[in-house]
PDB file of all heavy atoms in Angstrom:
ATOM      1  N   GLN A  94     -34.880  34.397 -23.324  1.00  0.00           N
ATOM      2  CA  GLN A  94     -34.927  34.458 -21.810  1.00  0.00           C
ATOM      3  C   GLN A  94     -36.225  34.102 -21.352  1.00  0.00           C
ATOM      4  O   GLN A  94     -36.327  33.264 -20.472  1.00  0.00           O
ATOM      5  CB  GLN A  94     -34.358  35.793 -21.348  1.00  0.00           C
ATOM      6  CG  GLN A  94     -34.152  35.711 -19.844  1.00  0.00           C
ATOM      7  CD  GLN A  94     -33.986  37.116 -19.168  1.00  0.00           C
ATOM      8  OE1 GLN A  94     -34.112  38.213 -20.030  1.00  0.00           O
ATOM      9  NE2 GLN A  94     -33.683  37.065 -17.965  1.00  0.00           N
ATOM     10  N   ALA A  95     -37.251  34.762 -21.822  1.00  0.00           N
ATOM     11  CA  ALA A  95     -38.575  34.509 -21.397  1.00  0.00           C
ATOM     12  C   ALA A  95     -39.071  33.193 -21.638  1.00  0.00           C
ATOM     13  O   ALA A  95     -39.601  32.466 -20.781  1.00  0.00           O
ATOM     14  CB  ALA A  95     -39.552  35.631 -22.039  1.00  0.00           C
ATOM     15  N   SER A  96     -38.694  32.519 -22.713  1.00  0.00           N
ATOM     16  CA  SER A  96     -39.116  31.154 -23.103  1.00  0.00           C
ATOM     17  C   SER A  96     -38.429  30.198 -22.089  1.00  0.00           C
ATOM     18  O   SER A  96     -39.034  29.405 -21.492  1.00  0.00           O
ATOM     19  CB  SER A  96     -38.705  30.820 -24.500  1.00  0.00           C
ATOM     20  OG  SER A  96     -39.130  31.780 -25.397  1.00  0.00           O
ATOM     21  N   LEU A  97     -37.069  30.477 -21.919  1.00  0.00           N
ATOM     22  CA  LEU A  97     -36.390  29.512 -21.020  1.00  0.00           C
ATOM     23  C   LEU A  97     -36.823  29.602 -19.555  1.00  0.00           C
ATOM     24  O   LEU A  97     -36.986  28.656 -18.898  1.00  0.00           O
ATOM     25  CB  LEU A  97     -34.885  29.791 -21.114  1.00  0.00           C
ATOM     26  CG  LEU A  97     -34.243  29.392 -22.413  1.00  0.00           C
ATOM     27  CD1 LEU A  97     -32.733  29.792 -22.451  1.00  0.00           C
ATOM     28  CD2 LEU A  97     -34.424  27.916 -22.665  1.00  0.00           C
ATOM     29  N   GLN A  98     -37.167  30.900 -19.231  1.00  0.00           N
ATOM     30  CA  GLN A  98     -37.644  31.120 -17.843  1.00  0.00           C
ATOM     31  C   GLN A  98     -38.858  30.141 -17.612  1.00  0.00           C
ATOM     32  O   GLN A  98     -38.944  29.590 -16.617  1.00  0.00           O
ATOM     33  CB  GLN A  98     -38.139  32.554 -17.759  1.00  0.00           C
ATOM     34  CG  GLN A  98     -38.392  33.026 -16.327  1.00  0.00           C
ATOM     35  CD  GLN A  98     -36.970  33.086 -15.572  1.00  0.00           C
ATOM     36  OE1 GLN A  98     -36.163  33.792 -16.012  1.00  0.00           O
ATOM     37  NE2 GLN A  98     -36.913  32.339 -14.401  1.00  0.00           N
ATOM     38  N   ARG A  99     -39.824  30.194 -18.595  1.00  0.00           N
ATOM     39  CA  ARG A  99     -40.981  29.346 -18.372  1.00  0.00           C
ATOM     40  C   ARG A  99     -40.653  27.777 -18.638  1.00  0.00           C
ATOM     41  O   ARG A  99     -41.111  26.948 -17.717  1.00  0.00           O
ATOM     42  CB  ARG A  99     -42.106  29.750 -19.392  1.00  0.00           C
ATOM     43  CG  ARG A  99     -43.359  28.981 -19.347  1.00  0.00           C
ATOM     44  CD  ARG A  99     -44.056  29.040 -17.938  1.00  0.00           C
ATOM     45  NE  ARG A  99     -45.113  28.279 -17.907  1.00  0.00           N
ATOM     46  CZ  ARG A  99     -45.093  26.999 -17.427  1.00  0.00           C
ATOM     47  NH1 ARG A  99     -43.935  26.489 -17.106  1.00  0.00           N
ATOM     48  NH2 ARG A  99     -46.178  26.265 -17.347  1.00  0.00           N
ATOM     49  N   LEU A 100     -39.867  27.447 -19.599  1.00  0.00           N
ATOM     50  CA  LEU A 100     -39.603  26.061 -19.976  1.00  0.00           C
ATOM     51  C   LEU A 100     -38.798  25.409 -18.764  1.00  0.00           C
ATOM     52  O   LEU A 100     -38.957  24.193 -18.560  1.00  0.00           O
ATOM     53  CB  LEU A 100     -38.828  25.995 -21.166  1.00  0.00           C
ATOM     54  CG  LEU A 100     -39.567  26.298 -22.483  1.00  0.00           C
ATOM     55  CD1 LEU A 100     -38.620  26.460 -23.490  1.00  0.00           C
ATOM     56  CD2 LEU A 100     -40.618  25.098 -22.722  1.00  0.00           C
ATOM     57  N   SER A 101     -37.998  26.228 -18.148  1.00  0.00           N
ATOM     58  CA  SER A 101     -37.158  25.570 -16.954  1.00  0.00           C
ATOM     59  C   SER A 101     -37.890  25.524 -15.704  1.00  0.00           C
ATOM     60  O   SER A 101     -37.470  24.880 -14.722  1.00  0.00           O
ATOM     61  CB  SER A 101     -35.801  26.474 -16.823  1.00  0.00           C
ATOM     62  OG  SER A 101     -36.194  27.848 -16.438  1.00  0.00           O
ATOM     63  N   GLN A 102     -39.057  26.040 -15.596  1.00  0.00           N
ATOM     64  CA  GLN A 102     -39.845  26.078 -14.312  1.00  0.00           C
ATOM     65  C   GLN A 102     -41.250  25.492 -14.476  1.00  0.00           C
ATOM     66  O   GLN A 102     -42.229  26.083 -14.608  1.00  0.00           O
ATOM     67  CB  GLN A 102     -40.014  27.478 -13.817  1.00  0.00           C
ATOM     68  CG  GLN A 102     -38.740  28.110 -13.445  1.00  0.00           C
ATOM     69  CD  GLN A 102     -38.279  27.684 -11.938  1.00  0.00           C
ATOM     70  OE1 GLN A 102     -39.108  27.867 -11.083  1.00  0.00           O
ATOM     71  NE2 GLN A 102     -37.131  27.173 -11.830  1.00  0.00           N
ATOM     72  N   PRO A 103     -41.304  24.062 -14.609  1.00  0.00           N
ATOM     73  CA  PRO A 103     -42.579  23.493 -14.851  1.00  0.00           C
ATOM     74  C   PRO A 103     -43.353  23.780 -13.618  1.00  0.00           C
ATOM     75  O   PRO A 103     -42.867  23.810 -12.370  1.00  0.00           O
ATOM     76  CB  PRO A 103     -42.189  21.921 -14.890  1.00  0.00           C
ATOM     77  CG  PRO A 103     -40.766  21.835 -14.924  1.00  0.00           C
ATOM     78  CD  PRO A 103     -40.209  23.104 -14.576  1.00  0.00           C
ATOM     79  N   GLU A 104     -44.726  23.829 -13.833  1.00  0.00           N
ATOM     80  CA  GLU A 104     -45.645  24.225 -12.644  1.00  0.00           C
ATOM     81  C   GLU A 104     -46.269  22.955 -12.097  1.00  0.00           C
ATOM     82  O   GLU A 104     -46.705  22.956 -10.928  1.00  0.00           O
ATOM     83  CB  GLU A 104     -46.601  25.175 -13.105  1.00  0.00           C
ATOM     84  CG  GLU A 104     -46.106  26.629 -13.186  1.00  0.00           C
ATOM     85  CD  GLU A 104     -46.829  27.642 -14.064  1.00  0.00           C
ATOM     86  OE1 GLU A 104     -47.884  27.191 -14.586  1.00  0.00           O
ATOM     87  OE2 GLU A 104     -46.380  28.707 -14.236  1.00  0.00           O
ATOM     88  N   GLN A 105     -46.325  21.986 -12.867  1.00  0.00           N
ATOM     89  CA  GLN A 105     -46.907  20.787 -12.426  1.00  0.00           C
ATOM     90  C   GLN A 105     -46.097  19.426 -12.747  1.00  0.00           C
ATOM     91  O   GLN A 105     -45.236  19.619 -13.576  1.00  0.00           O
ATOM     92  CB  GLN A 105     -48.283  20.456 -13.183  1.00  0.00           C
ATOM     93  CG  GLN A 105     -49.288  21.357 -12.814  1.00  0.00           C
ATOM     94  CD  GLN A 105     -50.245  21.812 -13.997  1.00  0.00           C
ATOM     95  OE1 GLN A 105     -50.041  21.072 -15.077  1.00  0.00           O
ATOM     96  NE2 GLN A 105     -51.158  22.749 -13.814  1.00  0.00           N
ATOM     97  N   TYR A 106     -46.208  18.509 -11.884  1.00  0.00           N
ATOM     98  CA  TYR A 106     -45.514  17.259 -12.110  1.00  0.00           C
ATOM     99  C   TYR A 106     -45.557  16.781 -13.510  1.00  0.00           C
ATOM    100  O   TYR A 106     -44.569  16.340 -14.119  1.00  0.00           O
ATOM    101  CB  TYR A 106     -45.864  16.275 -11.191  1.00  0.00           C
ATOM    102  CG  TYR A 106     -45.341  16.351  -9.721  1.00  0.00           C
ATOM    103  CD1 TYR A 106     -46.342  16.417  -8.707  1.00  0.00           C
ATOM    104  CD2 TYR A 106     -44.054  16.351  -9.476  1.00  0.00           C
ATOM    105  CE1 TYR A 106     -45.802  16.597  -7.454  1.00  0.00           C
ATOM    106  CE2 TYR A 106     -43.588  16.520  -8.187  1.00  0.00           C
ATOM    107  CZ  TYR A 106     -44.424  16.638  -7.098  1.00  0.00           C
ATOM    108  OH  TYR A 106     -43.924  16.660  -5.898  1.00  0.00           O
TER     109      TYR A 106
END
Side-chain angles (χ1 to χ4, degrees):
Chain A
Q94 188 192 6
S96 313
L97 288 178
Q98 193 70 52
R99 178 61 188 86
L100 288 165
S101 65
Q102 293 278 305
E104 284 160 1
Q105 290 148 7
Y106 280 122

